[in-house]
Amino acid sequence: MKTLNAKILTSPDIDWSSLDTAAIDTYLWSDNYKPEAGAQVALVLSGDEHEGMYAHLWCVESNPRALYTKHNESVYLDSCLEIFFTFNDPGKPRGGYVNIESNSNPTTLIAYGHDRYDRTSIVDMGIEPFDVRCVKTPTRWDLYEFVPMADLKRIFKLDKIDENTEMWANFYKCGGDHEIQPYGSWAPIDSPTPDFHRPEAFGRIILSR
């Protein structure tokens, strides 16, 4: 099982260069295009509106395809970076998971559910789309994502999220204008066909101060 260390911080001013990186380097269903990509996670416990989960995803890629511009459109057909994650109390069964999928515009597709078919848009849950920013250079693009603590507690039905909470996730790179689409993941997925909606393959995110 893959594991990633994720820091618990007290400020949203995150030095991402000091945090561990999950390499998105397992390309199971395609081998003609394997862009370098990665992801990082931090949990900020600041006691104010900045409290929540922060994620940084990046890809070394020039001119990423970004045709979709409206929330919950099919951004996975563009060049797309994704985080799927869940939180649960220690020793308790895992529930559903959130998927945040984004192109470099950035346009997002965000939902919650237990599998590929059981998904509900967070907008339909009465939650605003999460804050996602993109920084592009001629050779790479970086996503910076923020999920407020209040939304995390509501979605996962938790009273508290800290170092005692279990977090599970996978990170993906897909899509783009290529003859064979890249399907990259951090934690390997046991499936004969492309399928990112496999929560049983999630790796463990170890939260620590």
Side-chain angles (χ1 to χ4, degrees):
M1 180 182 65
K2 288 268 192 169
T3 61
L4 175 71
N5 293 315
K7 285 291 187 182
I8 296 178
L9 307 171
T10 57
S11 168
D13 298 322
I14 300 171
D15 176 11
W16 291 105
S17 67
S18 69
L19 304 186
D20 289 352
T21 296
I24 302 173
D25 57 4
T26 301
Y27 286 88
L28 293 176
W29 304 292
S30 60
D31 60 6
N32 71 319
Y33 179 61
K34 300 178 180 180
E36 183 182 355
Q40 300 169 296
V41 175
L43 187 69
V44 171
L45 301 182
S46 55
D48 57 21
E49 70 274 12
H50 302 297
E51 195 165 77
M53 187 195 82
Y54 291 75
H56 170 218
L57 294 88
W58 54 269
C59 183
V60 177
E61 188 174 46
S62 300
N63 299 315
R65 176 185 169 103
L67 302 181
Y68 292 96
T69 59
K70 296 179 181 178
H71 179 65
N72 275 358
E73 289 188 322
S74 302
V75 294
Y76 50 83
L77 297 177
D78 280 340
S79 182
C80 189
L81 289 167
E82 307 178 357
I83 173 175
F84 289 27
F85 66 93
T86 185
F87 290 89
N88 62 274
D89 283 326
K92 297 291 182 64
R94 280 189 262 169
Y97 60 92
V98 168
N99 59 290
I100 305 176
E101 309 176 22
S102 182
N103 63 16
S104 61
N105 281 330
T107 299
T108 57
L109 188 160
I110 309 173
Y112 170 82
H114 290 78
D115 56 36
R116 171 181 292 279
Y117 305 103
D118 170 32
R119 315 244 20 101
T120 301
S121 166
I122 62 162
V123 173
D124 292 336
M125 297 172 67
I127 298 172
E128 290 294 316
F130 307 136
D131 179 49
V132 177
R133 297 181 296 109
C134 182
V135 176
K136 284 193 281 190
T137 72
T139 58
R140 66 180 274 165
W141 55 292
D142 293 67
L143 294 175
Y144 297 92
E145 305 177 352
F146 169 58
V147 184
M149 181 63 74
D151 293 340
L152 291 174
K153 291 178 178 178
R154 177 179 173 184
I155 292 168
F156 296 110
K157 298 179 173 59
L158 295 173
D159 295 326
K160 188 177 183 180
I161 296 176
D162 59 16
E163 64 270 28
N164 297 312
T165 309
E166 293 186 0
M167 180 181 178
W168 306 83
N170 210 345
F171 311 101
Y172 310 114
K173 167 68 179 81
C174 65
D177 190 12
H178 307 285
E179 183 178 349
I180 300 177
Q181 302 299 321
Y183 295 98
S185 70
W186 167 56
I189 299 169
D190 184 11
S191 172
T193 56
D195 187 1
F196 286 165
H197 287 272
R198 293 294 186 106
E200 68 275 12
F202 286 4
R204 177 72 183 273
I205 310 299
I206 302 172
L207 302 168
S208 61
R209 295 181 189 266

